[in-house]
């Protein structure tokens, strides 16, 4: 059975992973939608007919998605924070703990019969004192919420603009999206000007 300090550190790690995943997913959605909106608007304004330029436009969207996924989802998921590192992070937010939290977490990771770990009674005393001192402290307060919230707000705004574009011009939006997703297709913009010979 895990010690209460270890349970709280594990809860902190879970929250870190959730915030990191929310931040990464929001960045990915926001970047993909923004890039798609810009490229579709450019295609609408210029009416790209050259297949090479249309393929280049689609590759740009793929590059934005791949780059954002790598930077905001893959790289953060590869970071492994140990219990001691998380404890040190908490200590920076609550300086009144000194080094006792990281020390206690390190002690909890050692075997009780480890001859190189020092006095068992001293280790237990440090752990007990740190547990009592940190009972009123909320470890989850050390995590900044605003980066994930700001990224989620940006993704929501991009989604709102995309939804508005589909509501205002559904045919044009579908055409632009089809041309962006399948640049090799023969999807053409609806003809606006009709010439007649009289």
């Amino acid at each position: 059975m895990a010690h209460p300090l270890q349970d709280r550190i594990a809860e902190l790690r879970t929250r870190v992973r959730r915030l990191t995943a929310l931040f990464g997913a929001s960045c990915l959605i926001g970047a993909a939608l923004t890039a798609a909106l810009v490229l579709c608007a450019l295609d609408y304004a210029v009416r790209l007919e050259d297949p090479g330029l249309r393929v280049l436009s689609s590759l740009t969207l793929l590059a934005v998605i791949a780059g954002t996924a790598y930077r905001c989802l893959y790289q953060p998921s590869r970071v492994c924070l140990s219990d001691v590192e998380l404890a040190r992070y908490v200590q920076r937010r609550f300086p009144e703990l000194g080094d006792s939290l990281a020390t206690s977490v390190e002690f909890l990771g050692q075997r009780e019969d480890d001859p190189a770990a020092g006095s068992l009674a001293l280790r237990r005393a440090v752990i007990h004192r740190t547990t009592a001192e940190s009972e009123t402290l909320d470890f989850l307060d050390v995590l900044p919420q605003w980066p994930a919230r700001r990224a989620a707000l940006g993704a929501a705004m991009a989604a709102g603009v995309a939804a508005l574009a589909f509501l205002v011009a559904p045919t044009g939006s579908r055409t632009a999206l089809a041309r962006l997703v399948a640049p090799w297709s023969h999807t053409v913009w609806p003809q606006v000007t009709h010439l007649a010979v009289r």
Side-chain angles (χ1 to χ4, degrees), residues 61 68-69 73 80 85-86 89 96 100-101 104 134 146 161 164 171 181 190 196:
L61 177 61
T68 307
L73 280 175
C80 296
E85 288 173 323
L86 286 171
Y89 189 77
E96 62 268 24
S100 62
L101 183 60
S104 298
S134 63
W146 62 268
V161 172
L164 184 63
T171 304
V181 172

Side-chain angles (χ1 to χ4, degrees), residues 2-18:
H3 190 274
L5 282 179
Q6 291 174 313
D7 289 338
R8 296 178 70 187
I9 292 294
E11 185 183 4
L12 179 62
R13 177 180 288 104
T14 301
R15 181 66 65 87
V16 167
R17 287 177 178 159
R18 285 179 183 168

Side-chain angles (χ1 to χ4, degrees), residues 114-134:
D114 188 352
S119 168
L120 177 59
L122 180 60
R123 284 184 283 157
R124 285 180 175 172
V126 171
I127 293 169
H128 180 72
R129 188 184 76 238
T130 304
T131 304
E133 289 175 351
S134 63

Side-chain angles (χ1 to χ4, degrees), residues 63-147:
V64 168
I65 292 173
T68 307
Y70 178 78
R71 185 166 179 257
C72 298
L73 280 175
Y74 177 74
Q75 282 187 328
S77 71
R78 302 285 293 171
V79 176
C80 296
L81 295 173
S82 67
D83 287 356
V84 176
E85 288 173 323
L86 286 171
R88 287 185 183 137
Y89 189 77
V90 172
Q91 286 173 173
R92 285 196 290 273
R93 171 64 176 81
F94 301 111
E96 62 268 24
L97 290 174
D99 292 330
S100 62
L101 183 60
T103 304
S104 298
V105 169
E106 195 171 0
F107 285 162
L108 287 167
Q110 296 171 337
R111 295 194 328 267
E112 289 192 352
D113 59 348
D114 188 352
S119 168
L120 177 59
L122 180 60
R123 284 184 283 157
R124 285 180 175 172
V126 171
I127 293 169
H128 180 72
R129 188 184 76 238
T130 304
T131 304
E133 289 175 351
S134 63
E135 275 182 347
T136 59
L137 304 177
D138 188 358
F139 289 0
L140 301 181
D141 280 348
V142 304
L143 298 177
Q145 308 280 328
W146 62 268

Side-chain angles (χ1 to χ4, degrees), residues 11-61:
E11 185 183 4
L12 179 62
R13 177 180 288 104
T14 301
R15 181 66 65 87
V16 167
R17 287 177 178 159
R18 285 179 183 168
L19 285 175
T20 303
L22 174 62
F23 175 80
S26 298
C27 286
L28 180 59
I29 292 170
L33 287 176
T34 302
L37 285 168
V38 170
L39 292 169
C40 286
L42 181 65
D43 186 18
Y44 175 78
V46 180
R47 305 293 170 109
L48 299 172
E49 296 305 331
D50 182 22
L53 290 177
R54 288 176 57 191
V55 168
L56 186 62
S57 179
S58 299
L59 289 176
T60 301
L61 177 61

